[in-house]
Amino acid sequence: MTTNACSLKGPSGVGPCQRHRVYATALWGVALLAIVAVPSRASARGSPSSYSPASRTVVPIRVHSATSSVSAPQNVLSGAATRLSGSNASVVYDFGKEVGGLVTLSFSGASGAGQQLGLAFSESSLYIGKDSDLSNGGASPDGALYASVSGAGTYTMPTDKLRGGFRYLTLFLTTSGWVDLTGISLNFTPAPGKSNPQDYANYFASNDPLLDKIWYAGAYTVQMNTIGSNQGRVWGPPASGWQNNATVGVGTSVLVDGAKRDRTVWAGDLGIALPTQYVSTNDTVSTRNAIAMLFQAQRPSGELQWGGSPFNLWGSTTYSMWALIGTASYYTYSGDKAWLDSIWSKYKLTMNFALSQVGTNGLISIPKAYREDWARVYPEGENIEANAILYAALLGGAQLADVENDAASASAWRTRAATLKSAVNARLWNPAVGLYRDNPTSTLYPQDGNSLAVWYKLTDSPAKDASIVRAFTARWNHIGALTPEKNDGGKIGTFPGSMELQAHLTAGDDVNALILMRREWGHMLSSPIGTASTFWEGMDYHGSLDPAYGGSFVSAAHGWASGPTFALTFYVLGLMPLGPDGRYQFIPHPGDLTHVEGSITLPQGLVSGSWDYSAPAGTFTAKLTSPAGSSGTLGVPTYGASNVSVTVNGATAWSSGAFRSVPGISGGSTDGRYIYLTGVAPGTYTLAASGVVAPPPFTVSMLPNALPPGFTLCAAEGGTCTPNGSQVLAYGAGAYVYRLISGPTPCTTASFGGTDPAYNVLKSCYLAPAGGPVGFTACAAEEGTCTFSGMRQVAYGRNGAFRFQVANGSIACTNEAFGTDPLPNASKSCYVASADAPPPGNWSRCAIEGNSCTVPSGQPLAFGANGAFWSVTASGTTICNSGAFGVDPLFGTAKACYTQSGAPAGFGTLCSAEKGTCAFSGQKTVAYGANGAFVYKTFTGGTPCTAAAFGGADPLYGVAKSCYLP
């Protein structure tokens, strides 16, 4: 007998396919803002991007395949007769998207009494067949349903055999006669209570049709996961077939994890699915019913189930805390104080359950008995994921305590959060790698915990945010973002991937967030093995459904994968609620988009808006309509421009760096990235900003904090650089910022939007080399195809402005393949990295993967192959593997480690050995160090080449150093 791995149980009684997930939602008060257009309410309905049906009756749209003994298989689609003849007759009908419910078949005749027609179901084309894909969690296939046909009539599936999620319906005859089929229809059961499931409360639209489809696919995924509270999966598995009539929530509808299975409340999944449901359908009732079910079963200790009824699974601290975060989010979205009052004592009990696991250093330490989680490495001990979740729960809980007039809890929880934040950054941050460890002794640097730390602002500096999201991009492949903490490795977790999107946007890495959406979620929509409408539980490295979830047991409509939907609303559009009292923020993260519009629904009513960016005109315009009782903050992205002016309803609100009073707005400020207009009263506003110049979304280097090889000195600070056409200009000394220029440009901080990369040091400017990056070879012109052997890093662009992509064998040289246009309105090319070569710029190999490099502490090491590299600061002997570097820059390919020697980039003139004198006239910046480790200081008329002259800084102790000039 074949055993379904998903039915096996570990010591905790939980099978591998039931070890679930992790969360992240828009916290009340932990948010960002944005700007939107004023659409009509009707535009939320019947969007051309919507996957939801307009009625409860759904029919297949095409024939997928049929045997020769099926005559005119397409006829039934138009109400005519399709005949199935003989026991080998079968036909597969395609609904074109994920659907769920009860199928009715109509017949006009049969060859005689007792003809038997089977019905089998599949989400993916991979598992089309007569047994259905797996959903019941048992040891054998789900099998099929059978209709007895004796002549004209109908057959409707039994209600307990409701099929929650499928795209393909296989019909097959098991008897020797014939039947004439004249109709196939489905009673669509998800999102109960809506006569028109397509009637969304909110909407999203942009100038990118793919992103619009992604928003609606995430919304539809969660809508498919919203079921009748008595339509859950029965547990344990029935002896044969499947059964979907278990009670899984209170009320009439509930938000569960998956459409096909498990059809049960899992608190972690709510972390993603809950805000998706809010920004699309605003079905907060189904949200509440899910959370209420968990609190109903609470143990006296405060522990909540991590898998709700009928599974009734226990043993997860993280999932108990996700329920706390979900409660805070639900209250933010609904303002349902009566319900909050009713569960407040239970909420506090669960918070105390989590806090009982906090040690004397302020960190939660997960005991073995409570380590269940989504399918990741167990989060035992002082785990970054668990601590980030607790941090968010404490802050959200403190805000709820304020509402409940529970001052003692509010104060205690805020104090605990502050202590936890300090402890996490002291004990779990690894500055050499630039990521948080999974626990203090781990060499695992997880996607989930690092994403949550940025998203929930557990980090203590913008530099850490930037470091984390940059490390994330080094893990991407051509399908999406790798998840190193996934138990079986080499996988793309759509749950932590949803978290990573929020991290990129929180860190201001907007373009990369959009690129990841297009790459990973675009793949799920376009893949021929998917549903073309919903997002998956997980993927493997090559983009197939993750087999670790049990083959056909894997869910192709899983709410935890819907992160792009609320990321697009909360960040890209920028509308986010801050509390049930009508506070909201509206601050766009435009990325590479030029138009976005949409809406959210506050308890006070609809907030709608739009924004548009015109690069040629240098303008950013927005419209906003907000209801009575609301109060907002508007954010105008400056794109780094320093002389932005803003008008509101025709009156100047911001000019020359200062706020000007205008009706309906009480104040203004700026942080350099945005101009914020605060205290926005209810009403309609038209906003126009001028002087807004966005840099193109290019990337210049694959190793951090280093001037790329080939850049040449063009001016000292205060001088002027003149490019040859359009070229990237670098500005700095040891640390650099970049911009694209097309004409003479002053080498000043002002030219770079006021960003000073090396404060109090005299800087210089450098122009990028023409053509491709150093170490890369031209392989295709734009719109061509770059072909090569093996896995390689490929650059797309020109003259220093590139997007980079790891590809296998070939890649189209197009904006679409690389996610964005790095050099608008200019011809580009593709360049492929050399195979088996070190990073360009004086690097040499010190070890192959699996061996060790022994170098002085503080010396940079690079790890990778074929143009894809990551660097860390060594702390003595370093094992050459992804664990030591926190990133695998080229998964599945043999890599090596490399050390650097010689002069630092941009400082090519040796002026003295250590203990000598570096002599020069005038004022210059000097680099002091060796082997890639340098410090920089500005001197006049020369300097001793000693650590003392550089303020006692020794960049590489025990190694002979030198001094260099630009």
Side-chain angles (χ1 to χ4, degrees), residues 301 335 823 864 888:
S301 65
L823 201 62
D888 189 336

Side-chain angles (χ1 to χ4, degrees), residues 261-299:
R261 65 100 196 137
D262 296 317
R263 298 178 67 80
T264 306
V265 177
W266 298 81
D269 299 55
L270 293 177
I272 301 298
L274 191 158
T276 295
Q277 188 168 61
Y278 165 71
V279 302
S280 55
T281 63
N282 192 37
D283 181 8
T284 55
V285 171
S286 297
T287 292
R288 182 194 65 205
N289 291 345
I291 301 170
M293 188 69 168
L294 297 174
F295 277 119
Q296 275 190 355
Q298 185 182 52
R299 282 181 166 171

Side-chain angles (χ1 to χ4, degrees), residues 429 433-435 450 454 459 461-473 503-504 506-509 512 704-705 870:
W429 179 254
V433 173
L435 290 165
N450 277 281
V454 177
T459 57
S461 72
K464 285 184 179 177
D465 292 346
S467 176
I468 289 169
V469 297
R470 187 185 180 281
F472 283 158
T473 61
H504 284 286
T506 301
D509 190 23
N512 279 328
N705 302 321
W870 184 253

Side-chain angles (χ1 to χ4, degrees), residues 516-539:
L516 182 57
M517 286 183 203
R518 295 170 182 134
R519 185 177 301 183
E520 186 168 325
W521 282 265
H523 169 78
M524 285 185 272
L525 277 184
S526 64
S527 172
I529 66 172
T531 69
S533 57
T534 55
F535 295 134
W536 311 346
E537 192 169 12
M539 293 190 283

